[in-house]
């Protein structure tokens, strides 16, 4: 049995704790916040994320409170035209083995937290801010802000996009500022006109330099709103209050139905979206990165949490080993995960072209998207949504794949 220290008590860190503990290891999870909690609102879980939760024994619990979606609905936000939908009903669920669901981020985090608390070999410690690490041939030590040093057999940095562990391991500076601001709000569902609720849809409204996404969460009690504007923001803010006037001004180009929904939003908060370039190395001897610390991505393909969950399960599978084998297993983990996660990071950036075009380019995009059949749209997402986290399934071929640019470049005439 080894002792592993996980820095970061978010979704990825807690999932990793569960996966590692199941291999018989002791786990200490360090969280910098005063208590273990998750901020934010809605989160989308494609089948690959739910498969990972199944592996952790939490799939059924998450599906019981999540809202299962029937379609990803693509709207021209200026004209109000329903361009196309990616069908998520029976055929999709049979092909990928799970539904596409949405859940409140805090609900998912709570389920992971409760599962960790039920495991005797997992210790949870809050108010512990990591600032770096040291290691030797037999151990890894995390250095805390208050000067305390905690030593284990290995260290996993799951401390998010501003990871202190990554800062030392990779040393790539501050995250990349996308210049895009996202405004988020929740609306009680009873306040939404019935014709605009779309209770089983994730709906995108696209516009010039902006787009607007909404879907139900918390069992359908709320509509989660996320409106993104390419406003060339220069300061990477997080959770800053925004006025209704700010939101209406940023999205004035959108049509009537989108405006009706935006007008209902209250308590808006804003974030400037940041990410990082893919890197080849996530490991340094007995230290490894996981989740957003390893591969932070923009949210435009809704895979951030799913990839963190996949990381956790794959890493857990690999750590059926003695302490002296941990560095080699970490390297294998990085080698197995970096191509897939890097591809998704780049696709998330490329997808901005799909959402933010205007004029003739938007007209061309709509025409191309209308030409895709249901099965072609399923083929496009198969490499992401159809991924498994078991050894047997990871080596099985995916029925059909597409390059990261296939749909993102569709407005230019490619299909």
């Amino acid at each position: 049995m080894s002792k592993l220290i996980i820095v970061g008590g978010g979704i990825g860190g807690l999932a990793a704790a569960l996966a590692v503990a199941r291999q018989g290891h002791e786990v200490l999870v360090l969280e910098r916040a005063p208590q273990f909690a998750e901020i934010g609102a809605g989160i989308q879980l494609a089948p690959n994320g739910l498969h990972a939760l199944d592996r952790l024994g939490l799939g059924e619990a998450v599906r019981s409170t999540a809202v299962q979606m029937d379609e990803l609905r693509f709207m021209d936000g200026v004209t109000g035209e329903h361009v196309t939908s990616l069908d998520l009903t029976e055929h999709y669920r049979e092909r990928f083995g799970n539904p596409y669901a949405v859940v409140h981020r805090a609900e998912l985090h709570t389920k992971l937290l409760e599962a960790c608390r039920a495991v005797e070999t997992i210790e949870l410690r809050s108010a512990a801010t990591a600032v770096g690490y040291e290691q030797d041939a037999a151990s890894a030590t995390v250095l805390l802000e208050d000067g305390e040093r905690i030593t284990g057999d290995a260290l996993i940095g799951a401390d998010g996009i501003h990871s202190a562990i990554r800062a030392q391991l990779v040393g790539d500076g501050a995250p990349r500022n996308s210049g895009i601001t996202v405004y988020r709000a929740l609306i009680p569902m009873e306040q939404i006109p019935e014709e605009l609720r779309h209770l089983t849809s994730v709906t995108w409204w696209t516009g010039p330099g902006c787009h607007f996404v909404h879907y139900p969460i918390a069992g359908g009690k709320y509509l989660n709103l996320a409106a993104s504007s390419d406003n060339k923001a220069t300061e990477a803010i997080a959770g800053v209050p925004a006025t209704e006037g700010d939101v209406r001004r940023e999205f004035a180009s959108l049509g009537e139905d989108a405006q009706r929904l935006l007008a209902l939003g209250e308590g808006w908060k804003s974030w400037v979206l940041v990410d990082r370039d893919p890197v080849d190395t996530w490991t340094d001897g007995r230290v490894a990165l996981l989740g957003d610390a390893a591969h932070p991505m923009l949210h435009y393909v809704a895979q951030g949490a799913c990839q963190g969950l996949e990381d956790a399960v794959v890493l857990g599978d690999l750590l059926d080993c003695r302490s002296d084998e941990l560095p080699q297993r970490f390297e294998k983990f990085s080698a197995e995960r970096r191509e897939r996660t890097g591809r998704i990071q780049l696709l998330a950036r490329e997808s901005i072209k799909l959402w933010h075009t205007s004029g003739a380019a938007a007209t061309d995009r709509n025409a191309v998207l209308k030409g895709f059949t249901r099965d072609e749209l399923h083929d496009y997402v198969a490499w992401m949504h159809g991924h498994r986290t078991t050894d047997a399934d990871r080596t099985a071929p995916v029925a059909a794949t597409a390059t990261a640019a296939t749909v993102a470049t569709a407005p230019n005439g490619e299909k």
Side-chain angles (χ1 to χ4, degrees):
M1 177 186 292
S2 299
K3 177 181 178 181
L4 281 84
I5 302 168
I6 297 176
V7 177
I11 288 170
L14 294 180
L18 288 172
V20 169
R22 291 187 177 195
Q23 294 288 15
H25 302 299
E26 292 183 358
V27 183
L28 170 62
V29 182
L30 302 176
E31 167 57 40
R32 67 179 300 165
Q35 59 185 3
F36 282 79
E38 184 66 270
I39 61 173
I43 189 169
Q44 299 178 52
L45 292 172
N48 58 304
L50 287 167
H51 281 302
L53 288 165
D54 284 331
R55 292 288 314 285
L56 296 172
L58 293 173
E60 183 176 351
V62 171
R63 283 188 292 271
S64 70
T65 58
V67 183
Q68 296 186 14
M69 296 290 97
D70 288 339
E71 62 177 338
L72 302 181
R73 206 160 181 265
F74 191 100
M75 308 290 293
D76 186 312
V78 176
T79 66
E81 177 188 9
H82 177 197
V83 177
T84 192
S85 285
L86 194 155
D87 178 80
L88 304 174
T89 54
E90 184 177 359
H91 184 269
Y92 174 92
R93 295 168 189 173
E94 288 181 356
R95 177 170 180 176
F96 299 128
N98 249 316
Y100 191 106
V102 296
V103 66
H104 196 292
R105 183 176 290 270
E107 290 179 343
L108 175 59
H109 185 266
T110 297
K111 286 179 169 55
L112 289 163
L113 184 60
E114 290 173 347
C116 285
R117 285 174 172 158
V119 179
E120 291 184 0
T121 54
I122 296 177
E123 179 185 352
L124 302 170
R125 178 176 166 184
S126 58
T129 300
V131 295
Y133 65 87
E134 295 176 351
Q135 64 178 313
D136 55 30
S139 65
T141 299
V142 61
L143 312 177
L144 299 188
E145 188 176 52
D146 62 5
E148 184 179 357
R149 302 160 59 89
I150 304 173
T151 298
D153 293 280
L155 171 64
I156 299 168
D159 46 341
I161 192 167
H162 299 288
S163 168
I165 307 304
R166 181 188 176 112
Q168 181 173 340
L169 195 156
V170 180
D172 55 350
R176 185 192 72 99
N177 184 343
S178 71
I180 296 173
T181 301
V182 59
Y183 300 89
R184 295 188 173 104
L186 293 177
I187 308 175
M189 194 61 74
E190 64 267 18
Q191 296 182 16
I192 308 295
E194 288 191 12
E195 67 272 18
L196 297 178
R197 291 183 181 181
H198 302 297
L199 295 177
T200 58
S201 301
V202 177
T203 302
W204 287 279
W205 303 84
T206 69
C210 68
H211 77 280
F212 168 40
V213 181
H214 60 81
Y215 51 86
I217 60 170
K221 294 180 182 178
Y222 296 94
L223 192 69
N224 180 65
L225 309 183
S228 296
S229 172
D230 190 356
N231 56 6
K232 312 304 179 187
T234 58
E235 181 184 357
I237 60 174
V240 175
T243 68
E244 295 178 26
D246 292 335
V247 175
R248 297 299 293 273
R249 181 174 59 256
E250 294 274 5
F251 301 93
S253 62
L254 298 183
E256 179 182 356
D257 285 346
Q259 293 292 344
R260 289 171 66 193
L261 286 167
L262 289 168
L264 295 172
E266 296 179 352
W268 290 96
K269 291 187 177 181
S270 60
W271 286 257
V272 171
L273 299 180
V274 295
D275 68 353
R276 293 184 184 273
D277 293 331
V279 293
D280 290 334
T281 302
W282 301 353
T283 65
D284 174 21
R286 291 178 172 269
V287 182
L289 302 176
L290 180 145
D292 283 349
H295 46 72
M297 56 191 66
L298 301 180
H299 62 222
Y300 295 133
V301 290
Q303 278 287 312
C306 292
Q307 292 310 302
L309 292 167
E310 284 186 13
D311 282 352
V313 173
V314 171
L315 183 60
D317 285 346
L318 290 170
L319 296 191
D320 58 340
C321 63
R322 302 185 310 269
S323 176
D324 62 328
E325 297 177 275
L326 289 170
Q328 291 74 32
R329 298 301 178 95
F330 279 172
E331 289 181 3
K332 187 174 181 181
F333 164 69
S334 175
E336 181 168 329
R337 293 291 298 156
R338 65 192 177 206
E339 182 177 352
R340 173 170 169 78
T341 56
R343 184 180 177 189
I344 295 174
Q345 284 177 280
L346 297 178
L347 175 60
R349 289 183 186 177
E350 191 74 13
S351 295
I352 296 171
K353 297 177 183 178
L354 188 67
W355 313 127
H356 290 183
T357 55
S358 61
T363 300
D364 291 344
R365 172 204 60 200
N366 293 351
V368 171
L369 289 176
K370 287 177 183 178
F372 283 98
T373 67
R374 179 197 67 180
D375 288 344
E376 286 173 333
L377 289 172
H378 289 176
D379 287 347
Y380 173 69
V381 300
W383 68 278
M384 282 193 295
H385 296 188
H387 189 74
R388 301 292 191 272
T389 51
T390 63
D391 289 335
D393 286 329
R394 287 203 300 271
T395 58
V398 177
T401 61
T403 65
T406 300
V407 171
T409 57
N412 297 322
E414 297 180 15
K415 179 176 174 180

